[in-house]
Amino acid sequence: MDSEAVATANVMFDLLSETAAAKSKDDILGSLDRSARHFGFSCFAISGIPLPTERIDSYFMLNAWPSEWFDHYVSHNYVHADPVIQLSKMQDGAFVWSEALRDQELGRHARRVMNEAKEFKMKDGYSVPLHSASGFQAIVTFGAEKVDLSNAARGALHILSIYAHNALRSLMAKEARARDRSPLRITAREREIIQWCAAGKTAIEIAEILGRSHRTIQNEILNVQRKLNVVNAAQMIAESFRFGILR
């Protein structure tokens, strides 16, 4: 192992230890900020990826983008035109934006997103797609004017991103449980229905699978949503991950 790889590994383990000791969202923010800056990035964010009919606002878990860009991106609901997001939905491996998009023919809206990002010193970036077996999708993404990452650095930042995301989700779930004085009780049947929803099944399809009426499944889904204090299936799935109902 060459000296650069050794140094990168040492930095990675230091930052992993720091993240493991995090007691708050701000601790994770600070740790990931040091990771980003060490590898030459000026900003970053962690977010779930919404369904095509939804906005991204409530899916942001941690945001360290330039504030003006964040407000602009959210207000214009750019998530569904963002080519980085679209690519993240289709692949598992981390990627550098300029490399992954080089041979892709971008539409007008996608070009607009990327061109406007450049105005906020996000000409390029590195993104880590995250996919669960139950269908939940998220992304850890870093922005910079220029990306210059060795293979060792790419691997280290990939691992750090996954670790930070998992630590953040675990912390958010713990905080949510602490806010709720009464324990969250999800029955085995409700858990099974949530799992089918996360797999993309509709209430009608779940009813056929479980041999129950459509109305019964609809009522059980609504009951779970009330327990989790959410208003739609996507939020129910996201909250189920946060509470550890889905893993």
Side-chain angles (χ1 to χ4, degrees):
M1 186 180 291
D2 60 34
S3 58
E4 180 190 351
V6 170
T8 298
N10 288 337
V11 169
M12 180 184 73
F13 287 122
D14 287 345
L15 290 167
L16 285 175
S17 298
E18 187 177 297
T19 303
K23 302 296 184 184
S24 69
K25 188 174 179 179
D26 285 342
D27 289 343
I28 295 175
L29 180 70
S31 178
L32 199 56
D33 180 67
R34 283 182 280 280
S35 302
R37 295 188 184 284
H38 176 81
F39 291 108
F41 295 95
S42 58
C43 58
F44 58 91
I46 299 179
S47 178
I49 298 176
L51 295 175
T53 56
E54 296 182 315
R55 296 182 60 84
I56 196 172
D57 310 42
S58 63
Y59 281 84
F60 268 97
M61 301 167 67
L62 187 151
N63 172 40
W65 275 356
S67 58
E68 289 184 11
W69 172 241
F70 174 79
D71 292 342
H72 184 70
Y73 188 98
V74 170
S75 66
H76 286 76
N77 202 29
Y78 274 169
V79 62
H80 300 302
D82 187 343
V84 172
I85 293 293
Q86 300 313 309
L87 189 58
S88 296
K89 291 164 69 173
M90 296 185 291
Q91 69 175 56
D92 295 322
F95 58 90
V96 174
W97 301 352
S98 57
E99 295 174 358
L101 299 174
R102 180 182 300 141
D103 298 324
Q104 293 202 14
E105 189 160 339
L106 301 181
R108 178 169 58 89
H109 295 300
R111 289 197 306 273
R112 178 181 177 183
V113 173
M114 300 308 291
N115 287 334
E116 291 183 3
K118 293 176 182 178
E119 299 174 16
F120 296 89
K121 298 184 178 181
M122 297 173 69
K123 295 181 180 179
D124 204 352
Y126 182 73
S127 292
V128 180
L130 299 163
H131 305 274
S132 76
S134 300
F136 183 71
Q137 295 179 310
I139 183 173
V140 182
T141 193
F142 301 86
E145 290 199 89
K146 182 181 179 181
V147 175
D148 183 15
L149 292 173
S150 65
N151 287 335
R154 294 182 189 214
L157 193 54
H158 192 171
I159 292 170
L160 286 166
S161 298
I162 295 172
Y163 197 88
H165 171 263
N166 290 344
L168 181 60
R169 259 185 42 192
S170 177
L171 182 63
M172 291 172 69
K174 187 182 296 184
E175 290 176 347
R177 288 193 295 270
R179 287 194 300 268
D180 187 359
R181 294 181 180 180
S182 61
L184 180 65
R185 293 187 177 89
I186 298 294
T187 67
R189 173 65 74 185
E190 289 171 340
R191 186 186 301 272
E192 185 177 17
I193 289 172
I194 295 170
Q195 289 171 335
W196 283 119
C197 287
K201 301 298 183 183
T202 65
I204 293 175
E205 291 170 329
I206 296 171
E208 291 176 353
I209 292 168
L210 300 181
R212 306 181 76 183
S213 73
H214 177 213
R215 177 170 292 183
T216 296
I217 297 299
Q218 277 187 319
N219 287 337
E220 293 198 12
I221 290 173
L222 288 173
N223 189 46
V224 172
Q225 289 176 359
R226 281 193 293 270
K227 288 183 179 182
L228 295 173
N229 194 30
V230 299
V231 297
N232 59 44
Q235 291 176 358
M236 178 182 73
I237 293 165
E239 288 296 283
S240 294
F241 277 107
R242 287 179 59 191
F243 278 100
I245 299 165
L246 292 178
R247 298 184 183 278

